[in-house]
Amino acid sequence: MLNEVERWLTSRSWSVTDRPLHQLLAAKQRTGQSVSVVLPALNEEETVGDIVAVIRHDLMQQVPLVDEIVVVDSGSTDRTSQVAAAAGAIVVHRDEILPRLPAVPGKGEVLWRSLLVARGDIVCFIDADLKEFSSDFVSGIVGPLLTEPGVDLVKAMYDRPLGGAAGQGGRVTELMARPLLNMHWPQLAGFVQPLGGEYAARRSLLEQLPFPVGYGVELGMLVDALHLVGLDALAQVDVGVRKHRHQDGQALGRMSAAIYRTAQLRLARGHLIRPSLTQFERGPDGFEPRTYSVDTEERPPMVEIVEYASRKVA
């Protein structure tokens, strides 16, 4: 590990207990910063309501840390939107945001569009499939942005149990993302959960970043932020344990391919000859190929979008 990373682990890795809520509230009042929590959601009716309710109760009603909770529904066929709204979130459908640009499938697309809806100076992204959710996920990663002027992006770190075994989650992280980062961007080797969906950042940073539209968004954002603001502007906070719905092996394969493609674009800005992934499933006549396109599209920095600039002026 680089000496720079060892120093960074000491100076930019914290625990949620390092910043009690009263300290965060004082910093928020002193700086006048507003905080938005954004949940990208697709068929998450079983979990999204509890997440919204916990954040609203703990961080809006008991203490005024969060100013708004926005759920961006990317085409759910269940009651995700209704459940989220009933729990107190502002619910917006992905296709209603920037309608002149047809939406493409993918988490990164939803996060990118959310910048046009969320109003906060600090934007906190939380995945909508978390179980046994704690508001520490929000207060933990928002905290350094309120108290440390030199920090621009904060990732959550946590244990990820899998099938009852501690620390066995994050298979794509260990098999794909961590090797890529250690080999090509060793300054980022200190991040415990580089692909985690829980992170917060200043709007002033997010609006300057391109957003890969699919699964590569977290890796792309981390790499681009490193180049834009430097390692000391990035941080991580231990928030405990993360429990969520796990993907099957083939879904993880598609995720890995998208992440590799995102890394490849940043390494060379080159072109894949065949940006697709073929997997196999057993059918009536034996193993049958299934070919999936790999996410290759990226959205430009939001500051380049006319509607966003017009909103800021207004």
Side-chain angles (χ1 to χ4, degrees):
M1 182 177 290
L2 298 176
N3 290 336
E4 180 183 6
V5 176
E6 292 183 355
R7 178 192 55 77
W8 177 85
L9 281 169
T10 301
S11 64
R12 287 292 186 260
S13 294
W14 294 294
S15 167
V16 65
T17 58
D18 291 336
R19 294 175 177 82
L21 280 176
H22 69 82
Q23 181 181 344
L24 301 187
L25 288 175
K28 185 174 190 284
Q29 293 169 359
R30 184 175 64 254
T31 62
Q33 298 177 92
S34 55
V35 177
S36 297
V37 176
V38 172
L39 281 72
L42 177 63
N43 294 329
E44 306 293 358
E45 68 174 353
E46 294 184 5
T47 51
V48 69
D50 289 341
I51 297 172
V52 171
V54 168
I55 298 172
R56 185 170 176 78
H57 175 267
D58 293 358
L59 303 179
M60 296 181 78
Q61 296 173 341
Q62 288 201 331
V63 296
L65 184 68
V66 170
D67 296 282
E68 64 177 1
I69 306 170
V70 179
V71 172
V72 183
D73 190 332
S74 57
S76 297
T77 56
D78 64 3
R79 298 183 63 253
T80 290
S81 291
Q82 297 93 317
V83 170
I90 300 167
V91 179
V92 184
H93 194 282
R94 174 199 63 197
D95 295 349
E96 297 172 356
I97 307 170
L98 203 60
R100 72 173 175 85
L101 290 180
V104 297
K107 178 183 178 183
E109 176 83 353
V110 176
L111 300 183
W112 182 72
R113 288 176 186 259
S114 76
L115 295 180
L116 273 161
V117 179
R119 312 295 300 189
D121 303 304
I122 294 171
V123 181
C124 174
F125 297 120
I126 300 290
D127 281 351
D129 66 342
L130 302 189
K131 302 175 182 177
E132 301 177 29
F133 178 77
S134 166
S135 60
D136 285 351
F137 275 73
V138 175
S139 60
I141 57 180
V142 165
L145 296 168
L146 291 170
T147 61
E148 305 288 336
V151 172
D152 289 329
L153 184 149
V154 183
K155 298 279 293 190
M157 56 178 168
Y158 34 67
D159 294 315
R160 296 183 67 179
L162 176 64
Q168 295 300 308
R171 291 162 287 174
V172 175
T173 292
E174 299 303 331
L175 296 175
M176 176 60 70
R178 201 177 306 286
L180 282 171
L181 291 175
N182 275 263
M183 288 186 290
H184 300 297
W185 296 281
Q187 287 178 294
L188 298 175
F191 277 94
V192 175
Q193 297 291 351
L195 298 185
E198 291 70 46
Y199 48 98
R202 300 189 192 281
R203 175 178 295 274
S204 57
L205 171 63
L206 292 172
E207 65 186 14
Q208 297 182 69
L209 298 176
F211 276 61
V213 299
Y215 286 126
V217 62
E218 275 84 22
L219 183 133
M221 187 179 296
L222 206 54
V223 170
D224 292 340
L226 173 68
H227 288 294
L228 192 62
V229 295
L231 181 60
D232 280 343
L234 313 180
Q236 59 185 350
V237 173
D238 187 349
V239 296
V241 179
R242 183 185 196 266
K243 297 181 180 180
H244 67 115
R245 183 185 67 251
H246 291 285
Q247 305 265 17
D248 63 32
Q250 293 207 335
L252 296 180
R254 296 190 290 275
M255 190 182 302
S256 297
I259 290 165
Y260 178 77
R261 171 60 171 167
T262 300
Q264 184 192 49
L265 285 171
R266 277 149 183 78
L267 285 168
R269 296 293 171 180
H271 300 281
L272 266 180
I273 296 174
R274 186 171 177 268
S276 61
L277 175 72
T278 298
Q279 298 175 319
F280 293 88
E281 298 177 6
R282 185 180 290 279
D285 301 318
F287 286 103
E288 300 175 355
R290 299 283 188 273
T291 299
Y292 302 89
S293 61
V294 173
D295 296 319
T296 58
E297 187 171 353
E298 296 193 6
R299 293 302 192 185
M302 188 57 79
V303 290
E304 298 178 10
I305 301 300
V306 173
E307 289 87 343
Y308 186 76
S310 300
R311 194 197 76 164
K312 293 188 74 176
V313 170

